[in-house]
Amino acid sequence: MQQTSLPIFIEEEAETNSVEFKTSADGKLPKDIWHTVSAFANSSGGKIIFGITPEGTRVNLSKTSVDSLQQDIVSLCSQGFSSTITPDIQYSEGVLVVFIPPSPAQLRPVYMKSKGAGSGTYVREGSSNRIANDEMIRRFSVAARGGAETLDFEEISFADCLAMELVNEYIDLINQKKTNMYQNFTAEEVLIKLRAITKTLHPTLFGLLAFGKAATPQEIISPTVSITTTQYPGLTKVNEEDFSETYVDNREFYGNAKRQFEDAFTFMKSKLPVRGTIDSNGKRRDYFVIPEVALREALANALAHRDYSTYSSSIQIDIFSDRIEIINPGVSLVPIEQLDHAPSATRNPLLMNYLKDYGITDQKARGIRTIKVSLKAAGLLAPTFENVGQSFKATLFASAFISPEDKAWLQKFTSFELNERQLNALTHAKNNPEGINNGEYRDYNSMNNVRDDKKANKELRQLVEKGILIISGENKARRYVLHSDYAQ
């Protein structure tokens, strides 16, 4: 155990998908603590903070309680689970922080040995732990074997389900790009090298996604290996003025991955409003409200990173009047706060490489960053990215970040010498009576670096000190609301 100086922002944190508070003032581990350990080990890891109530208040653990908790959690992690877990433990000022690292895919699911995999495996959803169902355990098993891409369909011959014209088109593309790489190989040999078929000539899941005939991928794998798009007339899925009107348009796109991408992308663009400008030569230039590059990257990200080991749902695209939401099965393999600068990670390296060859993805972990930069350059709200249950959701907003009226209103604060992030926050607070919190401040300002939560906290407190914002609520319920003097 390390004696260290913990960040002050511990007091500002709320329970999340990677943070859980435990009071444990008596020095005893909660009986259900193994739920959290299993859930964190089966996800992206997380920290259990002993000595803080669920509401976020410190209780100042005694030295005796800290020693007891440390010994018991180490013992539990080393002996209680299906594989050994090595926690990182730190202590400071009456608080014990235990970081549970994510376990390698080949060791998952991590479950309580005394319970068995069926009732001893937990996963993290939001700030809660839930027991893994059979589908989740099956997905862990698939991931442990290297992912779903190479799952093969032994009862089917590749000749009956793969379109050879697509195979030959791809081979020609690679030969052009990589100096006749496959010139001396037959199409069958290339497919084996690509792991699109097995040596016994049966198609793999990747082979069907890349070269499947017509709707064959959906017929053989699952109907949900598709993209579903729905356009709604307003801001929500329910029109409160006419409950019979559920949506404006609804389409589902089948076929191989490339075809799904092209058809869904065309549909999305057809539903976006277009704005026009007059260039320096006096000619009108039309452009999409949401930049095309942002749409492309978001859709490609969903297709390349979806979890193909689960068939519970398809990729879902919801088009509202002010935003587009793209949801794909499978949580992010990279922590949300590290999305735009962490190394690329994917469940589907074969599919990713195939899409890269067609120029749909670039495999350089720049997609999220490109989305953020292009939307900001267009003067739009910053996109949001989140894990929702066992899915990943990207939201791209079509609404302008600051209206002309808001720009005029911001002139009130010229003498305060505020930075752009603070002005953005004030605009949000003006238009939202419930105010703004630390997480929203970071989302609206594309603040995703380590310690940006501390920077956001500092800048929000400066606005409070200047009398522009006032604090409402405490700890995880804390929000910053515009002072009535500046409401109009």
Side-chain angles (χ1 to χ4, degrees), residues 64-254:
T64 300
S65 294
V66 168
D67 290 342
S68 178
L69 287 169
Q70 180 196 354
Q71 292 173 11
D72 290 345
I73 194 70
V74 168
S75 177
L76 175 67
C77 289
S78 63
Q79 301 176 27
F81 294 93
S82 54
S83 61
T84 300
I85 299 170
T86 305
D88 177 46
I89 303 177
Q90 298 181 341
Y91 166 74
S92 178
E93 301 175 1
V95 174
L96 188 70
V97 180
V98 178
F99 177 76
I100 304 298
S103 290
Q106 60 269 27
L107 297 180
R108 300 185 188 184
V110 176
Y111 57 88
M112 190 72 169
K113 287 192 293 187
S114 63
K115 301 290 184 179
S119 58
T121 301
Y122 274 72
V123 294
R124 192 76 171 173
E125 289 194 358
S127 59
S128 302
N129 306 312
R130 61 170 289 196
I131 191 168
N133 57 32
D134 292 342
E135 168 72 6
M136 293 176 182
I137 292 175
R138 186 185 74 83
R139 288 161 60 186
F140 282 130
S141 178
V142 169
R145 297 197 302 269
E149 288 184 302
T150 55
L151 291 176
D152 62 277
F153 299 84
E154 296 181 351
E155 70 281 6
I156 302 170
S157 169
F158 85 90
D160 295 331
C161 57
L162 301 191
M164 293 312 296
E165 64 270 20
L166 297 180
V167 175
N168 292 326
E169 174 190 283
Y170 182 74
I171 291 174
D172 290 342
L173 173 67
I174 300 304
N175 281 337
Q176 292 174 17
K177 295 178 66 174
K178 300 181 180 180
T179 319
N180 294 321
M181 179 177 176
Y182 294 135
Q183 186 175 27
N184 298 321
F185 297 93
T186 66
E188 185 177 295
E189 290 171 331
V190 172
L191 288 172
I192 293 174
K193 287 180 176 293
L194 293 172
R195 302 174 75 183
I197 64 174
T198 65
K199 292 182 179 180
T200 53
L201 308 184
H202 300 297
T204 63
L205 186 143
F206 164 67
L208 290 167
L209 288 174
F211 309 114
K213 295 179 180 178
T216 300
Q218 290 72 40
E219 294 169 354
I220 295 176
I221 305 171
S222 169
T224 57
V225 181
S226 60
I227 299 176
T228 301
T229 57
T230 307
Q231 181 188 18
Y232 298 94
L235 301 176
T236 65
K237 293 184 178 182
V238 178
N239 184 350
E240 296 183 358
E241 297 180 358
D242 183 1
F243 290 102
S244 65
E245 183 181 41
T246 56
Y247 58 81
V248 175
D249 202 350
N250 185 57
R251 304 285 180 86
E252 192 159 4
F253 301 104
Y254 295 107

Side-chain angles (χ1 to χ4, degrees), residues 10-15 21-23 51-59 474-476:
I10 280 287
E11 296 185 10
E12 301 297 327
E13 285 193 84
E15 291 187 321
F21 297 151
K22 295 294 182 184
T23 308
I52 298 185
T53 68
E55 293 74 32
T57 303
R58 287 179 184 250
V59 298
E474 296 182 356
N475 300 315
K476 64 181 181 180

Side-chain angles (χ1 to χ4, degrees), residues 257-320:
K258 180 172 177 287
R259 178 181 173 185
Q260 286 185 52
F261 174 84
E262 292 172 344
D263 290 349
F265 189 44
T266 298
F267 178 81
M268 289 168 65
K269 291 191 295 182
S270 73
K271 298 301 180 181
L272 282 180
V274 175
R275 289 177 180 166
T277 60
I278 305 299
D279 64 22
S280 58
N281 296 318
K283 295 183 178 180
R284 178 184 174 86
R285 181 176 69 86
D286 292 331
Y287 62 94
F288 294 115
V289 172
I290 298 178
E292 186 171 339
V293 65
L295 287 176
R296 184 181 185 86
E297 291 291 346
L299 179 58
N301 184 79
L303 191 63
H305 293 288
R306 78 153 282 175
D307 186 349
Y308 289 96
S309 69
T310 179
Y311 310 134
S312 58
S313 61
S314 61
I315 293 174
Q316 177 66 45
I317 302 172
D318 293 327
I319 304 173
F320 299 92

Side-chain angles (χ1 to χ4, degrees), residues 222-454:
S222 169
T224 57
V225 181
S226 60
I227 299 176
T228 301
T229 57
T230 307
Q231 181 188 18
Y232 298 94
L235 301 176
T236 65
K237 293 184 178 182
V238 178
N239 184 350
E240 296 183 358
E241 297 180 358
D242 183 1
F243 290 102
S244 65
E245 183 181 41
T246 56
Y247 58 81
V248 175
D249 202 350
N250 185 57
R251 304 285 180 86
E252 192 159 4
F253 301 104
Y254 295 107
N256 63 65
K258 180 172 177 287
R259 178 181 173 185
Q260 286 185 52
F261 174 84
E262 292 172 344
D263 290 349
F265 189 44
T266 298
F267 178 81
M268 289 168 65
K269 291 191 295 182
S270 73
K271 298 301 180 181
L272 282 180
V274 175
R275 289 177 180 166
T277 60
I278 305 299
D279 64 22
S280 58
N281 296 318
K283 295 183 178 180
R284 178 184 174 86
R285 181 176 69 86
D286 292 331
Y287 62 94
F288 294 115
V289 172
I290 298 178
E292 186 171 339
V293 65
L295 287 176
R296 184 181 185 86
E297 291 291 346
L299 179 58
N301 184 79
L303 191 63
H305 293 288
R306 78 153 282 175
D307 186 349
Y308 289 96
S309 69
T310 179
Y311 310 134
S312 58
S313 61
S314 61
I315 293 174
Q316 177 66 45
I317 302 172
D318 293 327
I319 304 173
F320 299 92
S321 60
D322 69 333
R323 69 193 186 281
I324 291 180
E325 297 177 354
I326 302 177
I327 305 171
N328 62 270
V331 298
S332 172
L333 296 179
V334 175
I336 297 295
E337 64 274 11
Q338 299 177 19
L339 278 176
D340 60 347
H341 57 266
S344 179
T346 180
R347 298 176 178 85
N348 313 300
L350 301 178
L351 180 62
M352 177 70 82
N353 192 64
Y354 164 86
L355 295 173
K356 178 179 71 71
D357 288 332
Y358 274 110
I360 295 174
T361 62
D362 66 10
Q363 214 174 14
K364 295 180 181 178
R366 297 187 304 191
I368 298 296
R369 184 65 180 166
T370 298
I371 294 170
K372 289 185 175 183
V373 170
S374 62
L375 291 175
K376 186 172 184 178
L380 302 177
L381 282 167
T384 62
F385 305 97
E386 56 187 321
N387 291 322
V388 180
Q390 294 300 306
S391 298
F392 176 77
K393 176 182 175 182
T395 303
L396 280 60
F397 296 95
S399 53
F401 196 86
I402 300 179
S403 68
E405 294 77 12
D406 287 341
K407 287 182 179 179
W409 175 78
L410 287 174
Q411 295 301 312
K412 294 183 178 183
F413 306 102
T414 303
S415 62
F416 288 97
E417 298 182 350
L418 304 178
N419 61 38
E420 182 181 353
R421 294 184 297 274
Q422 291 170 315
L423 293 174
N424 289 339
L426 291 183
T427 302
H428 175 79
K430 171 180 178 290
N431 296 304
N432 294 273
E434 71 275 13
I436 189 171
N437 63 21
N438 184 293
E440 292 166 345
Y441 186 95
R442 286 178 280 131
D443 284 341
Y444 297 142
N445 288 298
S446 299
M447 299 170 69
N448 294 283
N449 294 320
V450 177
R451 306 303 187 202
D452 270 353
D453 49 353
K454 292 182 67 176

